Amino acid sequence: MSLLQIYNVSKRYEALAVLDDISLEIDRGEFVCLTGRTGSGKSTLMRLIYMEERPDRGQVIVEGYSSERIRRREIPALRRKIGVLFQDFKLLRERTAYENVSFALHVTGTPRREVRKRVTRALTRVGLGHKRDAFPRELSGGEQQRVALARALVNEPILLLADEPTGNLDIEVGQGITELFQQVNYQGTAVLMATHNLGLIENMRIRRVHLADGRLTGDIESGSE
Amino acid sequence: MKLGYAIVEAFRSMRRVPLMTTVAVGTIALSLMVFGLFLVVTYNVREALQEVKARVDVEAYLDDGVEGEALLFLRAEIAVIPGVESVRFISKDQARERFAAQYGDTLLALLSENPLPASLLITLVEDQRTGSGAEAVAQRVIPMDGIDEVVWGRSWADRLDRLILALTALSILIGLVVSLASVFVISNTVKLTVWARRDAIEIMKLVGATDGFVKLPFFIEGTLQGAAGSGFALLILYGIYGWVLPNLAGLVFLPSGVSGAIMIMGAALGGIGSQVSIKQFLEV
């Protein structure tokens, strides 16, 4: 069974149809890039996947959890299997890099002795082992996004959702982040990255889906030809 | 583990935003202080009125020559009237002393004989110390043998009743307004402290924290702030009381039960307020 199944999903905000009869499947370990202009509904699709919102029509199934049947108290369990990244990083300003990452473990009730081990590993994985005590304001944009990535990965998710993760970053820094995503993907985590920056993924051998006017077009397996 | 983390987190977050915490505790302290001040004033007015009410009694003047068994019988008869607490005999001599103490003895010295009658001073049970209570007892006493005349402070007792009624109604009304205002101010203050940390709540929800895990630190924080606020309120009140007391003899502070209730009210409002305000941030 696929990791993520989206069946004929529609979502509208009042008069505006944001998603119109969308269907998409993502397998375990896949790397999918979701392209589309700003406002094309990429973020809405992301929110439907981590079930911050429910579709008006259709169904989203993530790792067996269906948007039609999931209960409110089951959502935390689902979210622990998904890592989410945003354009604005969403780090807590008054906490160090280490604390920002350990926060995700503490609030999910991870035993204390395990926290240190896993946070250190996650920070090392994104190349920030040496900046664990730095506050977000002392870090560059790219470094902040890496801390956010470490936080997303620390619970060993099976799916990483990245919503315009490089939107606030320089091209080179953005490329560094995308390379990290690929490493994460090699280690088995499926990645769904939304971006409107086509240059970033030009040379990547990944599957691309394009969202325009609320509809999915051009699902192509790049590099497979 | 969960509780330990929540307590640590509550203290850390208060330390991280010291200004916010100070403002919150200060606001809670001020609003509870106003509430407490109102209680102190009401309580003292009530105490004073109770003291005045204790003076609502009935005095039955006796015919001359009622003594011995007849007097005993009369006392017993009056003592069993519902609403009567005690009956005290005031002899002619005692009446003379009482009169002399109040008006001086020059007038009495002019008379060869003591004109003052002996009497029975009837004290009423507490809830009968009203105009109507006194009248009811008086009406039972008037027809008895050996009674010359019965007097009770009819008009001022009635006025006192109306005053107490009006004050009680007024204090309930003001108390309602003041306590509603306190609840409103405190819950909004706590809401502000929750709002200041909405980003942390959002992240907690995103990484899969359960609602209970998100709420617990806020509950502890709100409760602590509420308790600290009410503690300060009581301290300030006690300070004002200690400063005013030398100038206003007879003023009493709140009974310890009421002080405790204010503490609990502050803590509860803080705790409950945090849970109510956090609800709207949990829909992530």
Side-chain angles (χ1 to χ4, degrees), chain A residues 33-37 40 42 193-198 201 208-212 216-217:
Chain A
C33 190
L34 178 65
T35 59
R37 286 202 316 271
S40 58
K42 303 190 296 288
M193 177 170 84
T195 183
H196 65 270
N197 185 352
L198 293 170
I201 52 165
R208 297 166 200 198
V209 284
H210 186 71
L211 197 56
L216 274 184
T217 56

Side-chain angles (χ1 to χ4, degrees), chain B residues 77-92:
Chain B
E77 211 179 1
I78 292 172
V80 297
I81 297 174
V84 172
E85 189 177 79
S86 66
V87 182
R88 192 159 67 91
F89 176 66
I90 295 169
S91 68
K92 283 178 78 79

Side-chain angles (χ1 to χ4, degrees), chain B residues 7-81:
Chain B
I7 292 170
V8 170
E9 193 59 25
F11 275 101
R12 285 179 81 181
S13 64
M14 282 192 278
R15 217 180 48 220
R16 282 200 177 101
V17 280
L19 184 69
M20 187 88 206
T21 306
T22 313
V23 169
V25 171
T27 311
I28 293 171
L30 273 177
S31 63
L32 282 176
M33 195 203 78
V34 171
F35 183 64
L37 206 59
F38 161 77
L39 285 183
V40 171
V41 171
T42 316
Y43 184 68
N44 275 285
V45 169
R46 274 183 67 94
E47 287 287 296
L49 286 174
Q50 289 304 327
E51 217 167 286
V52 175
K53 269 185 94 172
R55 293 183 206 150
V56 175
D57 53 19
V58 177
E59 189 157 14
Y61 294 101
L62 305 176
D63 291 331
D64 268 348
V66 176
E67 52 193 24
E69 238 172 78
L71 178 62
L72 278 177
F73 181 72
L74 197 55
R75 282 185 68 165
E77 211 179 1
I78 292 172
V80 297
I81 297 174

Side-chain angles (χ1 to χ4, degrees), chain A residues 106-163:
Chain A
H106 282 308
V107 300
T108 49
T110 312
R112 208 167 276 275
R113 61 185 181 291
E114 221 179 288
V115 170
R116 182 193 302 269
K117 204 168 60 191
R118 285 168 65 178
V119 174
T120 307
R121 198 191 320 152
L123 280 173
T124 312
R125 207 168 156 191
V126 299
L128 278 181
H130 59 299
K131 297 227 165 158
R132 46 176 286 159
D133 294 324
F135 287 94
R137 62 172 179 278
E138 299 164 337
L139 297 170
S140 70
E143 286 169 333
Q144 289 187 48
Q145 191 60 295
R146 285 173 195 223
V147 175
L149 178 59
R151 181 180 64 196
L153 295 177
V154 77
N155 265 323
E156 306 287 343
I158 50 173
L159 173 63
L160 178 68
L161 298 176
D163 190 0

